[in-house]
């Protein structure tokens, strides 16, 4: 076996932590030729710590950058400054960034400035609309330009990279690590009462999350109005549960618009374990989240996506997810339809797994070893047709 090499994981938000955790665990295995080091920016504080606790990850570095109602500029400034020190001290052989957050972009730029090879987990997702989602579309396009190896989750993400002239040998199709995390957690027994959640018998659960920057202001207001109308129309039949994101731009509107409804429960962001079990218990999911769009179809739960464009077309093509935008009427009508039209509900509630098979982290571990010359073998790639 060759000498151990150092892989520096950099992340800062809840979804990056959920999607990096299985890869870190993979590299912590004794037979791994790479040693993982973890630097968190803590762009999120509480929501990041929830995930670190669940997966028992103790960061080697914590930049603790979060400020209340922070701006994109402060996230980038503080991350670049803090990461420079970490990279100079550790001199990693490779740096891993995940997805499309501002932390991920700063991590990629830091790797480049310090001439450290960059691996991009969840590469190739695109809307090709620079404002939707904002700023994620530009973050991930920049990360592709900066990265040395790319881990697209799906064949269409891989195609996007090829169209952008990324060399095929630098790409490893892996599946999405979120499915590794989901399968780990959904398999554990969990009683929702532990999270203070009591489901009322005979009521259908509608689970909602919203947080995108491009929805702030009027679009978020329209989403809330649609939810309020839905709660009123189906009073006695449905309960809405909304774990409210900690962003003050979200909180103020959601609490003001929906705080008083009898069948709407607003709760703090949930730990990943209860959240997964709540998705499992849900009848219908409405969300603008990237991760939730990937998880809902794996659990066979119809999802309405509260966005105008998505970089995750696979579940839409499969018929398990619908894009409903941020239009009050459309959201209200489509959700009402799924609550009343059982044939349509059945059509959408199929279990499809276009995003992964639970082996993405294993493939990423193997691909890193291959790229760094520690093994001659290229890993077998993810094939959604076999996964299902
Ligand atoms: C960020 C990412 C977004 C990702 C989302 C996942 C960027 C620009 N945005 O958006 O891509 O989809 O995370 O949730 O990278 N806050 C807390 N505690 C927390 C987390 C957030 O109080 O644990 C509050 C703070 O006031 C913070 C604000 O939320 O300033 C916004 O956080 P930020 O990370 O800037 O934006 P998100 O909307 O969370
Ligand atoms: N999630 C969670 N608790 C919640 C809401 C969501 O653990 O209260 C999980 C969810 O299952 C998914 C991830 O957080 O894996 C998605 O994070 P978010 O929606 O914040 O970000 P995005 O995926 O849109 O970047």
């Amino acid at each position: 076996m060759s000498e151990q090499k150092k892989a520096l994981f950099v992340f800062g938000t809840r979804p990056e932590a959920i999607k990096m955790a299985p890869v870190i665990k993979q590299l912590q295995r004794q037979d791994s030729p790479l040693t993982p080091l973890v630097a968190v920016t803590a762009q999120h504080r509480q929501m990041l710590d929830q995930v670190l606790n669940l997966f028992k990850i103790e960061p080697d570095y914590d930049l603790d950058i979060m400020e209340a109602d922070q701006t994109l500029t402060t996230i980038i400034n503080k991350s670049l400054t803090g990461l420079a020190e970490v990279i100079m001290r550790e001199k990693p052989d490779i740096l891993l960034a995940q997805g499309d957050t501002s932390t991920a972009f700063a991590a990629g730029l830091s790797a480049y400035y310090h001439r450290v090879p960059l691996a991009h987990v969840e590469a190739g997702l695109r809307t090709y609309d620079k404002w939707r989602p904002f700023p994620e579309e530009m973050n991930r396009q920049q990360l592709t330009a900066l990265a040395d190896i790319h881990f697209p989750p799906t064949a269409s993400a891989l195609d996007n990279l090829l169209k952008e002239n990324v060399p095929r040998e630098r790409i490893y199709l892996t599946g999405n690590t979120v499915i590794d995390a989901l399968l780990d957690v959904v398999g554990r027994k969990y009683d929702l009462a532990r999270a203070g959640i009591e489901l009322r018998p005979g009521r259908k659960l509608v689970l909602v999350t919203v947080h995108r920057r491009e929805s702030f202001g009027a679009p978020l207001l329209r989403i809330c109005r649609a939810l309020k109308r839905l709660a009123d129309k189906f009073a006695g039949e449905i309960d809405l549960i909304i774990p409210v994101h900690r962003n003050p731009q979200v909180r103020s509107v959601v609490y003001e618009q929906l705080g008083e409804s009898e069948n709407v429960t607003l709760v703090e962001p949930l730990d990943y374990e209860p959240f997964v079990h709540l998705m499992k218990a849900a009848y219908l999911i409405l969300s603008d989240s990237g991760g939730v769009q990937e998880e809902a179809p794996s659990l066979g739960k119809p999802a309405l996506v509260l966005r105008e464009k998505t970089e995750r077309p696979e579940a839409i093509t499969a018929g398990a997810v619908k894009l409903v935008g941020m239009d009050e009427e459309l959201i209200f009508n489509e959700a009402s339809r799924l609550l009343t039209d059982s044939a349509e509900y059945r059509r959408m509630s199929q279990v499809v797994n276009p995003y992964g098979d639970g082996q993405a982290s294993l493939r990423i571990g193997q691909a890193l070893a291959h790229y760094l010359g520690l093994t001659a073998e290229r890993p077998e790639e993810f094939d959604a047709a076999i996964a299902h």
Side-chain angles (χ1 to χ4, degrees), residues 25-75:
K25 295 283 161 201
Q26 181 64 34
L27 265 57
Q28 282 172 343
R29 290 168 51 123
Q30 266 189 337
D31 55 357
S32 166
L34 284 137
T35 304
L37 275 173
V38 174
V40 295
T41 61
Q43 173 182 335
H44 284 174
R45 183 71 277 168
Q46 300 90 336
M47 286 159 60
L48 172 73
D49 292 344
Q50 288 180 311
V51 185
L52 296 175
N53 290 338
L54 173 67
F55 290 104
K56 302 190 173 55
I57 293 169
E58 286 177 25
D60 300 282
Y61 296 90
D62 189 332
L63 305 181
D64 199 19
I65 68 162
M66 196 191 85
E67 291 172 19
D69 219 356
Q70 64 205 357
T71 65
L72 300 177
T73 307
T74 62
I75 301 171

Side-chain angles (χ1 to χ4, degrees), residues 190-220:
Y190 189 86
D191 180 0
L192 284 168
R194 274 173 56 195
I197 294 172
E198 296 290 343
L199 300 178
R200 293 198 275 192
R203 302 259 185 137
K204 287 175 178 158
L205 168 62
V206 179
L207 179 61
V208 184
T209 77
V210 275
H211 73 79
R212 301 242 76 88
R213 269 184 161 72
E214 67 273 16
S215 312
F216 294 170
L220 183 55

Side-chain angles (χ1 to χ4, degrees), residues 13-16 18-19 44 47 50-51 54 98 100-101 122 136 178 181-182 207-212 242-245 267-276 278-279 287-295 307 312:
T13 65
R14 169 174 68 191
E16 294 166 89
I18 292 170
K19 290 172 170 181
H44 284 174
M47 286 159 60
Q50 288 180 311
V51 185
L54 173 67
Q98 197 284 336
D100 52 22
T101 66
E122 196 184 74
E136 291 82 3
V178 78
L182 180 72
L207 179 61
V208 184
T209 77
V210 275
H211 73 79
R212 301 242 76 88
I242 313 180
V244 186
H245 193 287
V267 295
E268 291 302 315
L270 290 164
D271 286 357
Y272 188 53
E273 206 172 5
F275 186 76
V276 164
L278 206 57
M279 282 195 285
S287 180
D288 64 7
S289 160
V292 174
Q293 271 179 78
E294 293 154 347
E295 292 162 336
R307 294 171 54 178
R312 293 167 169 90

Side-chain angles (χ1 to χ4, degrees), residues 125-381:
L125 275 63
R126 296 287 186 268
T127 61
Y128 292 111
D129 177 337
K130 88 192 243 193
W131 301 109
R132 290 187 187 82
F134 168 80
E136 291 82 3
E137 179 66 14
M138 280 298 113
N139 285 344
R140 59 196 174 214
Q141 290 198 22
Q142 302 309 316
L143 277 158
T144 295
L146 294 164
D148 297 279
I149 45 169
H150 312 255
F151 299 133
T154 65
S156 74
L158 182 147
D159 283 346
N160 291 336
L161 296 174
L162 294 177
K163 276 187 246 150
E164 294 171 24
N165 298 320
V166 177
R168 182 64 179 90
E169 66 273 15
R170 294 297 180 93
I171 306 175
Y172 301 80
L173 175 58
T174 58
N176 200 311
T177 57
V178 78
I179 305 300
D180 304 19
L182 180 72
L183 294 180
D184 170 2
V185 169
V186 81
R188 307 180 191 181
K189 238 178 125 56
Y190 189 86
D191 180 0
L192 284 168
R194 274 173 56 195
I197 294 172
E198 296 290 343
L199 300 178
R200 293 198 275 192
R203 302 259 185 137
K204 287 175 178 158
L205 168 62
V206 179
L207 179 61
V208 184
T209 77
V210 275
H211 73 79
R212 301 242 76 88
R213 269 184 161 72
E214 67 273 16
S215 312
F216 294 170
L220 183 55
L221 207 57
R222 293 198 295 272
I223 292 172
C224 290
R225 289 210 188 102
L227 297 174
K228 174 92 177 75
R229 280 172 61 192
L230 201 65
D232 290 346
K233 177 174 174 191
F234 294 94
E237 293 173 53
I238 66 169
D239 279 329
L240 274 85
I241 299 188
I242 313 180
V244 186
H245 193 287
R246 287 191 181 271
N247 196 321
Q249 310 277 348
V250 176
R251 300 223 124 190
S252 51
V253 177
V254 170
Y255 273 92
E256 197 183 285
Q257 297 296 315
L258 296 162
E260 303 296 317
S261 297
E262 184 275 333
N263 56 341
V264 179
T265 308
L266 305 179
V267 295
E268 291 302 315
L270 290 164
D271 286 357
Y272 188 53
E273 206 172 5
F275 186 76
V276 164
H277 287 267
L278 206 57
M279 282 195 285
K280 224 171 110 180
Y283 184 80
L284 172 63
I285 298 174
L286 277 74
S287 180
D288 64 7
S289 160
V292 174
Q293 271 179 78
E294 293 154 347
E295 292 162 336
S298 302
L299 299 170
K301 301 296 172 176
L304 298 178
V305 175
L306 304 166
R307 294 171 54 178
E308 277 158 12
K309 290 193 177 160
T310 181
E311 59 289 311
R312 293 167 169 90
E314 294 85 352
I316 295 181
T317 309
V321 164
K322 248 190 217 170
L323 209 56
V324 292
M326 303 177 238
D327 177 82
E328 181 180 332
E329 270 328 290
L330 194 59
I331 298 166
F332 175 72
N333 289 340
E334 289 292 340
S336 298
R337 181 166 176 212
L338 282 167
L339 289 163
T340 49
D341 180 345
S342 54
E344 174 66 1
Y345 182 83
R346 266 199 310 279
R347 259 196 300 280
M348 279 187 75
S349 53
Q350 45 178 319
V351 178
V352 288
N353 247 332
Y355 298 113
D357 59 357
Q359 302 296 315
S361 323
L362 177 68
R363 292 189 190 100
I364 288 173
Q366 292 168 341
L368 290 170
H370 180 252
Y371 173 75
L372 292 170
L374 303 172
T375 166
E377 271 170 69
R378 247 186 104 86
E380 277 195 25
E381 297 200 317

